[in-house]
Amino acid sequence: MKRRHWPTGLDTLAYGGDYAPEQWPKPLWQEDVRLMREAGVTMVSVGIFAWALLEPEPGQYDFGWLDHLLDLLHHNEIRVDLATPTVVPPAWFYERHPEALPVNREGVRYAFGSRGAICYSSPDYRRAAVSITEQLGHRYGEHPAVALWHVHNEYGAPISACYCDTSAAEFRTWLADRYTTVKELNEAWGTTFWGQTYNSWDQVRPPRLTPTVGNPTQQLDWARFTSDALLASYQRERDVLHALSPGIPVTTNFHAALTQCDSLDYWAWAKEVDLVTNDHYLPADGDRKHVNLAMTADLTRSLAGGRPWLLLEHSTSAVSWQPRNIAKRPGEMARNSFAHVARGSDGAMFFQWRASRFGAEKFHSAMLPQAGTESRIWREVVRLGHDLGALAPVRGSRVVSDVAMLWDWQSWWAQRLEWRPSVDLDARERAEAWYAAAYDRHLTVDFAHPEADLGDYPLVVVPALYLMTDAAGANLRRYVQDGGTVVVSCFSGIVDERDTIHPGPHPGALRDVLGLTVEEFTPLPAGHQVRLDNDTAGNVWSEVVTLRGAEQVWSYVDGPVAGLPAVTRHTYGSGSAWYVSTCLTAAGLDAVLRAAIAPTTLTPRELPRDVEVVERAGTEGRYLFAINHTGDDAEVPIGPGAELLTGDDVSGSLHVPAGEVRVVFRPW
Ligand SMILES: [Zn+2]
């Protein structure tokens, strides 16, 4: 059967939140549904933490309350994203199977009483998770309320790996699949260094606590194994639901922000879901949180291959799990929601519908706060529901992007292992810095896997790709050869998939395309900067670059390599390859970006800083989203069109008041 990629029966944008009526007396459910209708809610997520209620004793089920709830929601035309509750098995399960609780790197077993305490290699957990999923699939697989299946919750958060003996045995099986023989494993892991040679598979263990730095390739393979083990757990439940509920798409909510989940290779995961969905929470620190949001939304859309995706959770105001939980300012929730929609989400959903009175997240904001309907949050929730209702035609349209940025979780895992040239060189920080530079030029970014087809992008940025396979190197070489422009940032192309340095001088995977070699890394002392001869500066890193075909664009004027090339350009085939050998600050990144795009077909928009403009293209026309994150009114140049939130006709210039959002439709 052909798989569906959008919640069944939902013909508008998705709007709603996690709904946990099990925390409330039944008479309140009627009020909830009445208020949902008032707010324009179209879908809610149900049952995420309900295993102990659905199966109160082993093999004894109580579906009465969920039957009643689904009927109530269906009667009120609210679609349901129905969860499998497998992120928190009941207390009785752990009483019977204490070994299903995960063990940390130090050998300490976690306890029941929170969430996500699971050894994904436990056969008892697997049996129990499949069993409760089968029960739900049989009972609700064809229920008219159910629009989407929501497997588990936020795999990878708060923990991923389990270092127990059962997981160790599974790790050995995974390694035997990858390397076939112990001899090959020894070669891949470089075990002749520090005398770590293995004679048999039985001697191989997870990277448990060691006196000093453990084998880096062992740690990298362990990270890969962990992502795969969790993915297999998802696949087991998904396959049950595909068989029992073929008309309903299956997803699991990602945590794709690099600030939130770092343990899953989402390029692999994205291939396994019918609809990519994501949860996003603003980091508490930083003064431009909307840039973090935009980057996460672009990354999520890229995981979806450019197809529409769905924001399954964000917050109406403060969260509860950061040291200082900063409340959103008036209008910020709407700007956040529209920014996700602008960048490809076909809806905006929240954790959660009604604020809890008890439990770990009772200070987390909700659509219906403790203050009730006489509140700013509720008024903004109702307005947002109304506004998203006006954007129903946007559904299914595709974001128009400008440049590609390469990102690879496996490279990130490898780069941040111990004993690198500098602890200050942070792949995530570089990705965020380059993304911000593109954002500030009003360029819309797609992320791409290093081995993906880079097609017609006029510009590709490589912010941090320490690990590059030969295939990735060849891919980039081909792209430039055929006329592309690439900008590569320092410490990229250094090692292969085994964390083994490419033969010859650095950067082995990129020497020819960049037209240079790096003789030595010369990282900077903490807090130091180096100046360049174009009046910009770098920090953290510098290196001894020798030109071998490339030309120097800018050089260092001070620091350990004063006088040597800092930024270079190499003509290669019909394209050009830029190299940046330090961690440039914002002005330097902007200078490189402007110089690199000047000869390309890209024409950055001339707009005020933090006025975010993104376009989606549909079958009928284009939708231009303009989000004003500033305190001043802004004008956005635009052709004739119809503004969808105010109903105004616009032509020539779109007026976007301070803090407001406008969406203009222009037919083809
Ligand atoms: Zn385990």
Side-chain angles (χ1 to χ4, degrees), residues 387-590:
D387 285 350
L388 287 175
L391 295 193
V394 170
R395 191 167 72 84
S397 60
R398 301 275 188 118
V399 172
V400 181
S401 57
D402 301 305
V403 304
M405 203 167 275
L406 302 191
W407 178 255
D408 180 21
W409 276 270
Q410 297 196 18
S411 177
W412 186 25
W413 298 339
Q415 187 184 327
R416 67 188 184 167
L417 292 172
E418 304 99 322
W419 289 14
R420 300 320 191 194
S422 171
V423 295
D424 297 326
L425 185 61
D426 177 345
R428 190 188 89 193
E429 185 279 334
R430 279 296 86 189
E432 290 174 342
W434 280 99
Y435 181 88
Y439 183 97
D440 285 344
R441 285 281 149 199
H442 303 280
L443 297 168
T444 303
V445 174
D446 280 346
F447 287 86
H449 185 273
E451 294 177 24
D453 179 12
L454 300 170
D456 298 326
Y457 289 109
L459 179 71
V460 171
V461 177
V462 182
L465 214 51
Y466 160 75
L467 183 158
M468 275 187 87
T469 61
D470 289 340
N475 190 40
L476 215 52
R477 209 171 297 126
R478 194 164 48 238
Y479 165 76
V480 178
Q481 185 96 48
D482 293 347
T485 298
V486 68
V487 177
V488 177
S489 185
C490 53
F491 207 46
S492 294
I494 306 298
V495 300
D496 65 11
E497 64 273 24
R498 296 178 168 192
D499 195 41
T500 293
I501 291 171
H502 287 289
H506 302 306
L510 294 168
R511 276 192 307 260
D512 51 358
V513 68
L514 295 176
L516 53 81
T517 55
V518 174
E519 186 179 318
E520 190 179 5
F521 303 127
T522 51
L524 306 178
H528 282 225
Q529 279 206 337
V530 280
R531 287 182 302 132
L532 276 59
D533 62 355
N534 66 339
D535 285 333
T536 66
N539 53 38
V540 173
W541 194 268
S542 64
E543 55 193 20
V544 179
V545 170
T546 306
L547 301 176
R548 300 189 188 279
E551 58 179 309
Q552 173 179 302
V553 179
W554 293 303
S555 64
Y556 293 103
V557 297
D558 58 14
V561 291
L564 293 186
V567 176
T568 66
R569 179 179 52 213
H570 184 221
T571 303
Y572 185 81
S574 14
S576 56
W578 291 70
Y579 185 61
V580 178
S581 68
T582 181
C583 294
L584 290 173
T585 56
L589 294 172
D590 185 61

Side-chain angles (χ1 to χ4, degrees), residues 327-341:
K328 291 189 181 179
R329 307 288 300 152
E332 191 174 357
M333 173 190 75
R335 289 194 299 278
N336 292 167
S337 300
F338 284 112
H340 283 291
V341 174

Side-chain angles (χ1 to χ4, degrees), residues 74-393:
H74 183 58
H75 185 69
N76 284 277
E77 298 173 327
I78 295 165
R79 308 297 293 147
V80 173
D81 167 35
L82 182 59
T84 67
T86 50
V87 67
V88 182
W92 59 252
F93 171 82
Y94 288 117
E95 187 179 38
R96 290 183 159 203
H97 307 292
E99 72 291 349
L101 287 163
V103 173
N104 73 7
R105 187 166 174 257
E106 288 78 25
V108 178
R109 201 177 282 281
Y110 289 96
F112 177 77
S114 177
R115 57 184 270 195
I118 295 164
C119 166
Y120 290 94
S121 298
S122 158
D124 297 307
Y125 172 75
R126 288 179 185 175
R127 266 192 299 275
V130 163
S131 171
I132 187 69
T133 302
E134 285 171 345
Q135 291 290 330
L136 288 163
H138 278 298
R139 193 168 189 94
Y140 302 113
E142 296 179 359
H143 193 289
V146 178
L148 179 65
W149 285 104
H150 176 301
V151 169
H152 194 276
N153 186 61
E154 294 176 352
Y155 281 100
I159 60 166
S160 307
C162 170
Y163 293 76
C164 79
D165 289 342
T166 308
S167 299
E170 196 161 70
F171 182 42
R172 286 189 284 272
T173 305
W174 185 94
L175 291 167
D177 270 357
R178 187 175 176 90
Y179 298 116
T180 313
T181 65
V182 176
K183 180 169 178 289
E184 185 65 20
L185 173 94
N186 279 310
E187 278 181 25
W189 286 12
T191 55
T192 49
F193 192 84
W194 280 1
Q196 295 168 358
T197 305
Y198 295 99
N199 295 337
S200 75
W201 289 111
D202 292 342
Q203 295 168 348
V204 180
R205 298 280 186 277
R208 291 171 179 156
L209 192 62
T210 47
T212 181
V213 173
N215 183 301
T217 317
Q218 178 188 15
Q219 297 186 68
L220 178 58
D221 274 343
W222 176 249
R224 292 174 171 135
F225 159 77
T226 297
S227 178
D228 285 356
L230 270 62
L231 181 57
S233 190
Y234 162 76
Q235 288 166 321
R236 275 187 287 275
E237 293 185 39
R238 178 204 60 190
D239 291 349
V240 167
L241 296 169
H242 276 173
L244 296 176
S245 185
I248 310 297
V250 181
T251 190
T252 184
N253 46 341
F254 292 175
H255 232 168
L258 304 182
T259 41
Q260 283 170 227
C261 176
D262 56 7
S263 59
L264 303 187
D265 181 353
Y266 282 122
W267 290 123
W269 280 71
K271 295 177 188 155
E272 304 295 328
V273 295
D274 296 330
L275 169 68
V276 168
T277 58
N278 196 46
D279 297 354
H280 180 259
Y281 293 98
L282 297 176
D285 49 354
D287 56 349
R288 297 178 77 211
K289 301 169 189 176
H290 52 278
V291 182
N292 172 282
L293 184 157
M295 178 171 167
T296 304
D298 283 348
L299 182 55
T300 309
R301 179 188 69 256
S302 304
L303 293 170
R307 288 183 296 279
W309 55 281
L310 177 58
L311 177 71
L312 214 46
E313 292 182 23
H314 70 153
S315 67
T316 56
S317 187
V319 298
S320 56
W321 40 265
Q322 300 192 9
R324 285 159 293 278
N325 295 291
I326 308 302
K328 291 189 181 179
R329 307 288 300 152
E332 191 174 357
M333 173 190 75
R335 289 194 299 278
N336 292 167
S337 300
F338 284 112
H340 283 291
V341 174
R343 294 176 187 275
S345 175
D346 273 354
M349 297 183 61
F350 295 91
F351 176 85
Q352 60 181 338
W353 163 251
R354 184 187 278 272
S356 302
R357 286 184 56 219
F358 47 78
E361 299 195 84
K362 56 186 168 290
F363 295 114
H364 196 295
S365 60
M367 298 174 81
L368 184 56
Q370 312 283 8
T373 54
E374 297 297 321
S375 61
R376 174 186 69 81
I377 287 178
W378 176 254
R379 286 188 291 275
E380 291 194 16
V381 162
V382 172
R383 181 183 164 191
L384 178 59
H386 176 266
D387 285 350
L388 287 175
L391 295 193

